[in-house]
Amino acid sequence: MRLSSSFLPTLKEDPAEAQIISHRLMLRTGMVRQMSSGIYAWLPLGLRVLDNISRIVREEQNAINAQEVLMPTLQSADLWKRSGRYDAYGPEMLRIVDRHKRDLLYGPTNEEMITDIFGQFIKSYKELPQLLYQIQWKFRDEIRPRFGVMRGREFYMKDGYSFDLNYEDAVVTYHKMMLSYLRTFQRIGVKAIPMLADTGPIGGDLSHEFIILAPTGESGIYFDSDFTEQNWLEMPVDINDKESLAAFFQRMTRFYAATDEKHDQNEWQKVPESRRCEGRGIEVGQIFYFGTKYTEAMNVSVIGPDSDKINPHMGSYGIGVSRLVGAIIESSHDDQGIIWPDAIAPFKAVIINLGLKNQACKDACEALYKMDQEQLLYDDRDERAGVKFADADLIGHPWQIIIGPRGIGNNVVEIKRRETGERMEVSIEQVMHYISSYQR
Amino acid sequence: MRLSSSFLPTLKEDPAEAQIISHRLMLRTGMVRQMSSGIYAWLPLGLRVLDNISRIVREEQNAINAQEVLMPTLQSADLWKRSGRYDAYGPEMLRIVDRHKRDLLYGPTNEEMITDIFGQFIKSYKELPQLLYQIQWKFRDEIRPRFGVMRGREFYMKDGYSFDLNYEDAVVTYHKMMLSYLRTFQRIGVKAIPMLADTGPIGGDLSHEFIILAPTGESGIYFDSDFTEQNWLEMPVDINDKESLAAFFQRMTRFYAATDEKHDQNEWQKVPESRRCEGRGIEVGQIFYFGTKYTEAMNVSVIGPDSDKINPHMGSYGIGVSRLVGAIIESSHDDQGIIWPDAIAPFKAVIINLGLKNQACKDACEALYKMDQEQLLYDDRDERAGVKFADADLIGHPWQIIIGPRGIGNNVVEIKRRETGERMEVSIEQVMHYISSYQR
């Protein structure tokens, strides 16, 4: 994209409304704009990040054979009366009355709707398991929306739901989803650590929150640093083999990790001291087994192997996609601005032309830009170099490709890695290859 | 996708609620399920079509340098009070009160919001033109929702908005968008004909509706059949050159095309008789120039070349993405079911195994399926051949790849083209290549 003809507006000054760094940086870089309290429009720069995260989430859901659906944002109140949650949910549920005086609501989550859909179509145990997900806008009428997209009212979320014949099968699905989540976050480029979470009145140990390390996080966390050394993408796990999944899960849960609510000093002492990490974290996902709660309440069953009616066992699996954008910035920035992980950066690199009046520089920029117009941002504005460098650091492109009269005479450009500040000289023919094959 | 482990449920019987064929077929094939009056969940089969259409729309918008944003579904009433439309809009606008008693609404369209966003960031004529679009859910509280997704309440729509310095520039943008729309519909594989539309009190001739030919259409249409012979994708038009765009537009408008409201018998008589086509059509898009209506009402201006304040000239450009799914089925089906255009079909082909107990057949199916698991549906169900053929015709995959014991001995599979019923024998190595390179 050419910056001069793009809708990529940055703000010169810090917006007064933003209390935390991610919110401030998202407004300053023109990623989002608040339209009402806790309701944001995503401008081109922010949408690119949101789309990049969604794509990875989707690919990793599909990789475990979860199937994508898309449910409407508005739901009938009747559906929630069947589960008993319509009255229980409280004022965070946005309740709506349509022109025919029917009660609707803006879905804050979709257990009821997916259970209803499942029940309409799936009639036999032979059709289990089922694993369905969507990425869709949701609404929670927070009493005090704050922290930008981290605690907005209208938010973008991946919510998945599983249906299994019994507890044992549901555990297998849970393990599979755990693997999918670890791989998703690793690909996105963030350290998200699963921590045991409260399962409430249902009990059991099948709920984990995924928490990103960030100094501004809402919870205190304790974890074994070896966890973050694991490579889940290359770990050989057969997702069609429950033993293989169980072995993976056991290996994963060997590492101590707990929020302060669940922290256990005795267990913590068993972690070698050099590996004990304490910090604060932001929740960006949760996976949860809850059994037959909704299938029983909504009277949804399948015919079992002995022709008996069986309420399937369910789990639900969320990733806060819009929240993640903020959380990643909280965990990855410096005084100059955002530092995007490569996989979700809005652009791979920005091209900065230092020789606006130099034809060779201009030609080199154009030639480079044409190599990947979709993934390169070309800062072709008539601005001082200092402004361009500051904006590049602020937006946080993983790479800056700096083209100036001196280097271009030798067929060389300078590249700067945003994360480390490292600078290198590379020939113009090699630069795209270098960037693409760079290993952190 | 393997059908046996997919959430691709078909209904055996025609649903009573559906009055028109597209609605009936979408329910029968399990593309959607109605969750409330005029509110649908998109199941995997339907979502694949919705995504395919969205992808083409997006690529063709990006090709004219329109930039994608994503605005929230809920809007503040205040925004609509600024334009004067809050009171004018009537009961189709879904009005909502949040927990703090603030008035919100579920956006039926976004002229106000985009004008506000534009006004916050764009201050100078030098930053014009701007062309922004989104693909997002919208809501219109129809008094009698009907015809399935064709007249639903919650619907998916591409809405684009342009800002130009003056009328002359706005016309250039209009021409560019016309080209983009013609290319979009051609790539989707439908004949959508632009017809002059009413511009209301603003006047001028800069509004076109895009209408798909279908016997169940709401309007009578008259057009020159030569229009549908044009290849807009290969027509050389320089989108950065206003003369080139104007020449294209002139060429396009040479062909007579009008709905019955705008039909002109005198002009119609000038079309050679053999080229006069009459029929009925369904509107699937509209493009519209409306000048300074919103920029004036909302007091949004830029600094012009002479340092004067100028209200930019706007246009808006819609494509009913979810509506298109229904409209395409209305225009492309037979007694057996849907006939998908290749570009938007949920799967390229279905693999039908006639030799369930034959190892060679099974191996051949598996090998073929592995060539493109994402785009092939493998009907591996333990069902009679008749059931599989009927489902394949019903769902409307462009190709059926039929693998049976007799052919496989000779390394040959049968393929059937859904559109024509044509059958061919192809070697198993060649089948994917044959399908991909087939020209209608």
Side-chain angles (χ1 to χ4, degrees), chain A residues 156-184:
Chain A
Y156 202 45
M157 188 170 178
K158 190 284 289 186
D159 47 324
Y161 305 91
S162 63
F163 298 85
D164 281 288
L165 189 60
N166 50 43
Y167 175 77
E168 198 193 5
D169 290 354
V171 168
V172 177
T173 298
Y174 190 88
H175 292 169
K176 207 183 286 186
M177 195 59 85
M178 173 63 85
L179 180 67
S180 170
Y181 270 47
L182 291 171
R183 289 181 168 171
T184 301

Side-chain angles (χ1 to χ4, degrees), chain A residues 130-393:
Chain A
Q130 288 287 344
L131 192 45
L132 302 167
Y133 77 98
Q134 67 167 356
I135 309 180
Q136 178 60 302
W137 292 94
K138 295 174 183 66
F139 200 92
R140 280 185 205 151
D141 202 358
E142 298 270 356
I143 191 159
R144 272 181 300 132
R146 57 192 185 282
F147 306 150
V149 299
M150 296 251 285
R151 196 173 278 267
R153 293 199 292 169
E154 189 169 328
F155 60 99
Y156 202 45
M157 188 170 178
K158 190 284 289 186
D159 47 324
Y161 305 91
S162 63
F163 298 85
D164 281 288
L165 189 60
N166 50 43
Y167 175 77
E168 198 193 5
D169 290 354
V171 168
V172 177
T173 298
Y174 190 88
H175 292 169
K176 207 183 286 186
M177 195 59 85
M178 173 63 85
L179 180 67
S180 170
Y181 270 47
L182 291 171
R183 289 181 168 171
T184 301
F185 289 117
Q186 187 177 336
R187 280 187 61 195
I188 287 172
V190 288
K191 296 198 164 115
I193 303 163
M195 306 207 172
L196 272 186
D198 247 328
T199 48
I202 297 166
D205 59 357
L206 284 182
S207 179
H208 285 84
E209 294 174 340
F210 289 78
I211 294 187
I212 284 183
L213 205 59
T216 48
E218 66 257 6
S219 357
I221 55 173
Y222 302 82
F223 66 96
D224 180 338
S225 64
D226 264 15
F227 184 90
T228 60
E229 306 299 319
Q230 306 301 307
N231 187 339
W232 310 108
L233 290 167
E234 288 183 9
M235 192 172 292
V237 185
D238 179 352
I239 60 157
N240 298 310
D241 174 21
K242 67 179 181 180
E243 305 300 335
S244 175
L245 284 165
F248 141 74
F249 190 74
Q250 201 172 27
R251 176 166 174 185
M252 197 279 309
T253 45
R254 227 173 39 201
F255 300 103
Y256 186 87
T259 58
D260 41 18
E261 285 165 13
K262 288 268 186 177
H263 186 49
D264 178 332
Q265 275 296 342
N266 285 334
E267 290 299 315
W268 186 232
Q269 296 309 321
K270 296 178 192 163
V271 179
E273 203 168 343
S274 65
R275 281 163 38 192
R276 283 183 216 155
C277 273
E278 291 185 34
R280 303 199 67 77
I282 301 167
E283 192 209 318
V284 291
Q286 182 162 17
I287 61 178
F288 195 53
Y289 162 78
F290 49 72
T292 57
K293 178 174 171 181
Y294 294 97
T295 49
E296 270 185 48
M298 296 176 71
N299 198 23
V300 164
S301 60
V302 295
I303 302 296
D306 304 320
S307 301
D308 45 342
K309 281 187 172 182
I310 296 174
N311 299 119
H313 288 238
M314 291 177 65
S316 72
Y317 314 91
I319 293 178
V321 176
S322 49
R323 169 167 246 242
L324 247 176
V325 179
I328 291 167
I329 298 174
E330 286 295 329
S331 79
S332 184
H333 66 270
D334 62 16
D335 289 347
Q336 275 65 55
I338 303 170
I339 301 170
W340 287 116
D342 295 79
I344 59 156
F347 297 93
K348 270 186 200 161
V350 59
I351 303 171
I352 299 177
N353 185 1
L354 297 187
L356 274 182
K357 294 186 176 91
N358 180 308
Q359 192 61 38
C361 286
K362 224 178 135 184
D363 291 347
C365 288
E366 288 288 338
L368 187 62
Y369 172 59
K370 293 221 164 74
M371 289 186 196
D372 192 354
Q373 300 190 26
E374 182 51 37
Q375 287 298 323
L376 292 171
L377 179 67
Y378 176 17
D379 189 347
D380 59 343
R381 293 174 303 170
D382 186 10
E383 288 279 7
R384 286 182 301 112
V387 171
K388 293 186 182 187
F389 287 133
D391 274 355
D393 281 346

Side-chain angles (χ1 to χ4, degrees), chain A residues 1 4-11 27 30 32-37 39-45 47 50-51 58 62 65 67-76 79 91-92 94-100 102 104 106 113 116-118 120-122 126-127 129-130 132-133 136-137 139 141-145 153-154 156 374, chain B residues 1 4-11 27 30 32-37 39-45 47 50-51 58 62 65 67-76 79 91-92 94-100 102 104 106 113 116-118 120-122 126-127 129-130 132-133 136-137 139 141-145 153-154 156 374:
Chain A
M1 211 174 272
S4 67
S5 54
S6 298
F7 192 73
L8 297 174
T10 53
L11 300 179
L27 293 174
V32 292
R33 171 166 161 74
Q34 180 169 299
M35 302 310 301
S36 312
S37 169
I39 300 180
Y40 292 85
W42 291 74
L43 306 184
L45 192 75
L47 182 57
L50 201 65
D51 283 346
R58 183 172 282 126
N62 295 349
N65 299 318
Q67 295 191 65
E68 190 172 4
V69 297
L70 192 53
M71 292 178 269
T73 58
L74 297 195
Q75 308 189 12
S76 151
L79 205 51
E92 284 196 4
L94 186 66
R95 291 155 211 260
I96 301 169
V97 180
D98 76 8
R99 70 191 289 174
H100 294 302
R102 284 172 302 209
L104 300 173
Y106 200 121
M113 192 177 273
D116 180 67
I117 292 171
F118 172 90
Q120 288 298 323
F121 292 109
I122 303 298
K126 292 179 189 162
E127 297 168 83
Q130 288 287 344
L132 302 167
Y133 77 98
Q136 178 60 302
W137 292 94
F139 200 92
D141 202 358
E142 298 270 356
I143 191 159
R144 272 181 300 132
R153 293 199 292 169
E154 189 169 328
Y156 202 45
E374 182 51 37
Chain B
M1 212 174 272
S4 66
S5 55
S6 297
F7 192 72
L8 296 173
T10 53
L11 300 179
L27 293 174
V32 292
R33 172 167 162 71
Q34 180 169 297
M35 302 310 301
S36 311
S37 169
I39 300 180
Y40 292 85
W42 290 75
L43 306 184
L45 192 74
L47 181 57
L50 201 66
D51 283 346
R58 184 171 281 126
N62 294 347
N65 300 319
Q67 295 191 65
E68 191 172 1
V69 297
L70 192 52
M71 291 178 269
T73 59
L74 297 195
Q75 306 189 13
S76 150
L79 206 51
E92 284 195 4
L94 187 66
R95 292 156 210 259
I96 300 170
V97 181
D98 75 8
R99 69 190 290 175
H100 294 301
R102 284 173 300 211
L104 300 173
Y106 200 121
M113 193 177 272
D116 180 69
I117 292 171
F118 171 90
Q120 288 298 322
F121 293 109
I122 304 298
K126 291 180 190 160
E127 298 168 84
Q130 289 287 344
L132 302 167
Y133 77 97
Q136 177 62 300
W137 292 93
F139 201 92
D141 202 358
E142 297 271 355
I143 190 159
R144 272 180 300 135
R153 295 197 291 168
E154 189 169 326
Y156 202 45
E374 182 51 35

Side-chain angles (χ1 to χ4, degrees), chain B residues 133-151:
Chain B
Y133 77 97
Q134 68 166 355
I135 309 180
Q136 177 62 300
W137 292 93
K138 295 174 182 66
F139 201 92
R140 280 184 204 150
D141 202 358
E142 297 271 355
I143 190 159
R144 272 180 300 135
R146 56 192 187 282
F147 308 150
V149 299
M150 295 250 284
R151 196 175 277 269

